[in-house]
Amino acid sequence: MADLLFDFSDSNKAKLFPQHGWATNSQGIKILWCPLVRLLQFPNRTLQEKGKSGKSHPGIAHSSLAFAATLKNLAITLRELHQVTRLSCGHPVNLDPVALTADHRAFEMAPLYIDLTFSYLRRIADLLVMACSPLLFEHWQSVPQKFKNWGTNVSQLKTHRPLCDFTVLHEAVVNHSGWFNELRGTSPLTMKKGIRDALEHRPVRFLLGKQQTGNNRPRFKITLDSRAGDVEIHKDILPRITESVAGLCHLMTGIHSAISVGSKYEWGAQMAIVGDDDDIVGYWPKIGA
């Protein structure tokens, strides 16, 4: 059996470093890339590469490990969600026993995976700023450790003595915080709660449906149901997962660019997830798309 190659079938995609997402390798397999994890794996070494060896601290790796572990848990959860819905939608809407079994598993497991997905997305934003702060700021101990505080007053972060390209960081936070804001708090436009806060603080349930038009491939639709007036109902939340993951990837790309260490995709920058590659990358953005 041939070894899995961590390269790019399209060399132009490799030049888009440090974009986060997936790309096809020379074997036709889809690889999920997350260069920031590699950068954070050895934060003291990254600081040394930035010429800041005197800024090293023996404890800063712990936050990096928590971030990496949560990101991997998110990737595994998304793989499982994509798999159960894919297998179900691989059968037309009918009473065939095999189709019914696949449908039953999807209806049973999808709510669990969706709940986990939005919990991980909400949590990972705070873990991200905790892990990255020592590589971004000289006075990192006083940097806000909640991403919501970065989003509401990102300009104030400059007072913590940036070690990074602060303009790039500022643009990344300003332009790629929308996905996070839709998870929490209350929208000033709709007065509806963010989806993660609704799941956490309101009585809600998932409504799942498998729909098919003619001979087209069936699709899943998942909505929230609640009597609470500030919960958004009747809106498919599966696309929100794709949008949120893309927003997270854009944010990680911007933070990596601001740190300005590394110039190419290398071993350790890929997400080592076992399974069908279509399921692994199903909810992640394509590099260069």
Side-chain angles (χ1 to χ4, degrees):
M1 183 176 180
D3 292 334
L4 179 63
L5 299 179
F6 295 102
D7 61 3
F8 288 74
S9 61
D10 183 351
S11 59
N12 290 322
K13 297 290 181 68
K15 296 176 183 178
L16 297 176
F17 179 87
Q19 279 194 21
H20 289 59
W22 68 269
T24 304
N25 74 353
S26 58
Q27 299 164 311
I29 298 171
K30 298 171 182 175
I31 304 294
L32 181 57
W33 293 96
C34 186
L36 188 60
V37 171
R38 186 180 189 278
L39 200 66
L40 294 173
Q41 188 175 9
F42 304 103
N44 288 321
R45 185 175 68 186
T46 300
L47 285 171
Q48 290 172 4
E49 291 184 34
K50 289 171 65 68
K52 303 293 182 180
S53 57
K55 306 301 179 183
S56 300
H57 188 280
I60 63 176
H62 293 288
S63 295
S64 302
L65 293 173
F67 166 74
T70 304
L71 185 65
K72 186 171 184 178
N73 287 344
L74 171 64
I76 292 170
T77 302
L78 293 173
R79 178 198 65 194
E80 295 299 298
L81 175 61
H82 192 273
Q83 182 185 60
V84 296
T85 56
R86 174 180 60 81
L87 292 177
S88 175
C89 291
H91 302 278
V93 177
N94 58 36
L95 298 180
D96 177 81
V98 176
L100 288 175
T101 298
D103 290 347
H104 178 76
R105 179 161 178 78
F107 276 69
E108 188 176 64
M109 299 304 297
L112 279 64
Y113 296 140
I114 291 172
D115 205 347
L116 269 178
T117 293
F118 285 112
S119 293
Y120 282 139
L121 284 167
R122 172 62 182 88
R123 190 184 310 163
I124 208 168
D126 291 341
L127 293 173
L128 176 61
V129 301
M130 285 188 275
C132 293
S133 290
L135 306 182
L136 294 169
F137 301 99
E138 182 175 353
H139 298 161
W140 59 271
Q141 295 94 333
S142 59
V143 172
Q145 299 294 282
K146 299 293 184 182
F147 185 72
K148 65 179 182 180
N149 295 328
W150 284 38
T152 55
N153 197 4
V154 63
S155 297
Q156 184 65 24
L157 294 175
K158 197 169 186 178
T159 62
H160 300 283
R161 299 286 297 274
L163 298 172
C164 62
D165 186 327
F166 189 76
T167 299
V168 173
L169 178 65
H170 185 281
E171 291 178 355
V173 174
V174 170
N175 295 331
H176 304 299
S177 295
W179 66 273
F180 175 77
N181 296 331
E182 291 186 0
L183 298 180
R184 55 168 297 277
T186 301
S187 168
L189 298 177
T190 66
M191 301 309 295
K192 303 294 185 181
K193 295 192 74 65
I195 188 167
R196 180 269 176 186
D197 281 10
L199 292 171
E200 192 73 20
H201 303 298
R202 293 292 184 269
V204 299
R205 64 175 180 143
F206 293 104
L207 296 180
L208 290 83
K210 179 180 174 182
Q211 304 172 342
Q212 183 176 16
T213 303
N215 293 322
N216 294 326
R217 180 180 174 83
R219 61 178 294 271
F220 253 85
K221 181 178 181 180
I222 304 176
T223 62
L224 296 182
D225 180 51
S226 178
R227 297 189 66 181
D230 57 356
V231 175
E232 187 174 39
I233 59 176
H234 306 311
K235 186 174 182 179
D236 191 1
I237 61 177
L238 277 178
R240 298 277 289 277
I241 293 177
T242 304
E243 294 165 4
S244 296
V245 173
L248 172 62
C249 284
H250 292 315
L251 177 63
M252 291 191 293
T253 297
I255 290 176
H256 193 297
S257 298
I259 295 172
S260 302
V261 171
S263 59
K264 62 181 180 179
Y265 293 97
E266 298 179 277
W267 171 262
Q270 78 281 359
M271 294 288 287
I273 306 295
V274 176
D276 186 294
D277 60 343
D278 284 330
D279 294 327
I280 292 171
V281 308
Y283 290 104
W284 297 80
K286 185 178 182 179
I287 291 174

